[in-house]
């Protein structure tokens, strides 16, 4: 049984502030270690649950956060960018299930450090009228490969937002949001213990959840953070201007939608 663990940082226990998730300061250096230890807990849980092979996708920012020397030697690691499948890179390697560790609420959500892909660029992302966060987009991308999301961890708002998309997934709550940059967190060790147990429980289930499969093609609608970003994105010929701060496009697959969104995210850097 081959498992992919996609690890973000905003949902990690003890992480509540922007300084903790941005490279170049001591707070980030501590948080990336916390991230690595939660990944290790998920790896241990995967092997406890019967996995024979584990891939870990570093899924935050520039995709090279966790110190390699801290990571469990039994796993292999997907690092760096650009990569076609982004936070779900590795799902095309014949994996049987996905675990999402350290994930967070979507843009406009009330969760800790809530955003979708790029907080500078995107205020809201919708697939066929349904608001999507990173977990939703990438869980549906895994679904196109026939792979279910069996476990996910993060704050209470993240969990509440995603239960309908992943109704049979094992969720592990690492903290409770009391604001965008405040919360009540488990200790790092308690969170790791819960993640390890949650992954093992998910993999020991007699029947895995069905993959999250969205009907395609998709009508994608994006509300940008400023009209200037909508101006920029509409330089792409296949995008349509829907409002001063909204653009839209048609995507034949979830993968095409996610890849386009990631390209728009990269484009937005010219206006920073």
């Amino acid at each position: 049984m081959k498992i992919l663990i996609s690890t973000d940082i905003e949902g990690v226990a003890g992480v509540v502030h922007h300084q903790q998730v941005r490279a170049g300061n001591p707070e980030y250096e501590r948080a990336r270690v916390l991230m690595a230890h939660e990944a290790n807990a998920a790896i241990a849980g995967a092997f406890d649950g019967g996995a024979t092979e584990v891939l870990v996708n570093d899924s935050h920012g520039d995709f090279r956060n966790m110190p390699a020397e801290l990571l469990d030697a039994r796993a292999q690691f997907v690092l760096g960018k650009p990569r076609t499948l982004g936070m779900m890179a590795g799902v095309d390697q014949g994996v049987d299930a996905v675990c999402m560790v350290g994930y967070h609420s979507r843009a406009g959500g009330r969760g800790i450090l809530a955003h979708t892909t790029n907080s500078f660029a995107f205020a809201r992302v919708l697939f066929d009228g349904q608001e999507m966060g990173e977990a939703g987009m990438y869980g549906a991308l895994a679904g196109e490969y026939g792979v279910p999301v069996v476990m996910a961890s993060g704050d209470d708002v993240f969990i509440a937002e995603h239960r309908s998309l992943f109704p049979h997934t094992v969720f592990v709550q690492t903290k409770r949001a009391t604001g965008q940059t405040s919360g009540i967190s488990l200790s790092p060790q308690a969170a790791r213990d819960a993640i390890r147990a949650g992954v093992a429980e998910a993999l020991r289930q007699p029947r895995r959840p069905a993959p999250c499969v969205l009907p395609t093609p998709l009508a994608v609608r994006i509300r940008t953070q400023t009209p200037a970003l909508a101006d920029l994105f509409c330089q792409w010929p296949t995008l349509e201007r829907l409002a001063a701060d909204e653009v839209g496009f048609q995507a034949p697959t979830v993968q095409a939608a996610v890849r386009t969104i990631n390209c728009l995210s990269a484009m937005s850097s010219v206006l920073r």
Side-chain angles (χ1 to χ4, degrees), residues 90-105:
V91 76
D92 56 343
Q93 301 298 306
V95 303
D96 298 292
V98 168
C99 300
M100 295 177 168
V101 175
Y103 270 64
H104 52 80
S105 175

Side-chain angles (χ1 to χ4, degrees), residues 117-133:
T117 304
N118 183 329
S119 58
F120 171 77
F122 308 131
R124 194 180 186 202
V125 176
L126 299 97
F127 286 5
D128 285 337
Q130 180 175 5
E131 290 203 55
M132 302 295 283

Side-chain angles (χ1 to χ4, degrees), residues 121-235:
F122 308 131
R124 194 180 186 202
V125 176
L126 299 97
F127 286 5
D128 285 337
Q130 180 175 5
E131 290 203 55
M132 302 295 283
E134 291 167 22
M137 292 193 301
Y138 282 101
L141 176 54
E144 288 192 333
Y145 285 86
V147 181
V149 176
V150 298
M151 177 271 178
S153 70
D155 70 22
D156 59 321
V157 178
F158 159 72
I159 292 170
E161 286 178 355
H162 291 88
R163 279 200 187 279
S164 61
L165 272 177
F166 310 127
H168 303 294
T169 293
V170 174
F171 285 98
V172 173
Q173 183 177 317
T174 56
K175 52 196 173 186
R176 178 163 61 88
T178 57
Q180 288 272 304
T181 55
S182 65
I184 299 170
S185 179
L186 296 180
S187 72
Q189 189 58 56
R192 294 167 201 163
D193 291 345
I195 288 167
R196 180 172 183 170
V199 173
E201 175 192 348
L203 297 182
R204 287 174 179 153
Q205 297 295 322
R207 182 178 298 176
R208 293 197 187 100
C212 175
V213 178
L214 299 182
T216 53
L218 295 167
V220 180
R221 187 179 186 111
I222 298 171
R223 179 185 295 167
T224 60
Q225 293 287 8
T226 66
L229 283 158
D231 295 341
L232 174 67
F233 295 160
C234 282
Q235 301 306 302

